[in-house]
Amino acid sequence: MSKNRVSRRQFLNYTLTGVGGFMAAGMLMPMVRFAIDPVLKTEAAGDFIPTSQKVAELTTEPQRVDFTFKQVDAWYESEVTSTAWVYKDDNGKVVALSPVCKHLGCTVGWNTDKANPEQFFCPCHYGRYTKDGTNIPGTPPLAPLDVYPTMEKDGLLYLGKAKPRKEA
């Protein structure tokens, strides 16, 4: 037998400390994983989303372009369909505008108001925008339509995340 004998009190103390530490680690590990997991995840391949629209087929008349992308919300992944109004300006530069009205978030259409042709029109509250997305004074929207950054790759149009325009 050994000279360093453990008393019952010390044995109980060591056992309860070990079990308590094991239980605390079991409770803390999921919390640590929850906090660190988003940092360790890799992001998507890029900020631009491909569309089926060929850049060569764009004209000076705005066209509706629908595109889909995967959206991740925590652990839930869904496929979202969005829309943009796309055309080439007088300089040949591609312009992509968000169809969301800046008044109350309704959807605008191109050339749908017979009284005001060649304009974006929101039928909900009669908001109007010029072809370049600028809001028309005297109508409900107080800001211009958001703009999508564009990129051409392999002849196809790629759209970034819509951003508010700085000029009014």
Side-chain angles (χ1 to χ4, degrees):
M1 289 231 195
S2 168
K3 284 186 169 184
N4 298 331
R5 295 185 70 166
V6 176
S7 70
R8 284 187 214 168
R9 183 170 290 186
Q10 286 175 326
F11 174 76
L12 193 55
N13 193 11
Y14 294 152
T15 304
L16 290 177
T17 303
V19 169
F22 183 74
M23 290 174 62
M27 289 186 328
L28 288 176
M29 285 307 290
M31 290 185 241
V32 170
R33 165 83 196 240
F34 181 77
I36 293 176
D37 190 43
V39 174
L40 299 178
K41 265 191 182 171
T42 57
E43 291 296 319
D47 294 336
F48 284 86
I49 300 164
T51 67
S52 59
Q53 179 65 46
K54 294 181 180 176
V55 175
E57 295 175 355
L58 291 175
T59 63
T60 57
E61 184 77 13
Q63 300 175 36
R64 180 182 167 142
V65 175
D66 294 325
F67 57 96
T68 58
F69 59 95
K70 291 189 186 214
Q71 176 177 308
V72 179
D73 187 16
W75 287 272
Y76 179 72
E77 186 173 310
S78 61
E79 195 165 285
V80 178
T81 301
S82 195
T83 303
W85 287 101
V86 183
Y87 68 96
K88 285 187 179 177
D89 65 7
D90 296 334
N91 300 327
K93 182 182 173 205
V94 177
V95 177
L97 300 172
S98 170
V100 179
C101 180
K102 298 300 280 189
H103 177 230
L104 290 176
C106 302
T107 303
V108 300
W110 170 252
N111 208 13
T112 55
D113 184 21
K114 303 300 177 206
N116 300 294
E118 302 293 312
Q119 291 181 355
F120 288 104
F121 177 68
C122 177
C124 300
H125 304 100
Y126 302 105
R128 296 187 343 230
Y129 298 89
T130 60
K131 182 179 175 181
D132 68 350
T134 305
N135 51 313
I136 295 176
T139 62
L142 299 175
L145 293 173
D146 292 345
V147 178
Y148 288 103
T150 61
M151 179 177 80
E152 181 181 356
K153 184 176 179 185
D154 299 329
L156 293 176
L157 177 67
Y158 283 68
L159 298 175
K161 187 178 179 184
K163 297 178 180 167
R165 289 194 357 201
K166 292 180 178 44
E167 75 278 356

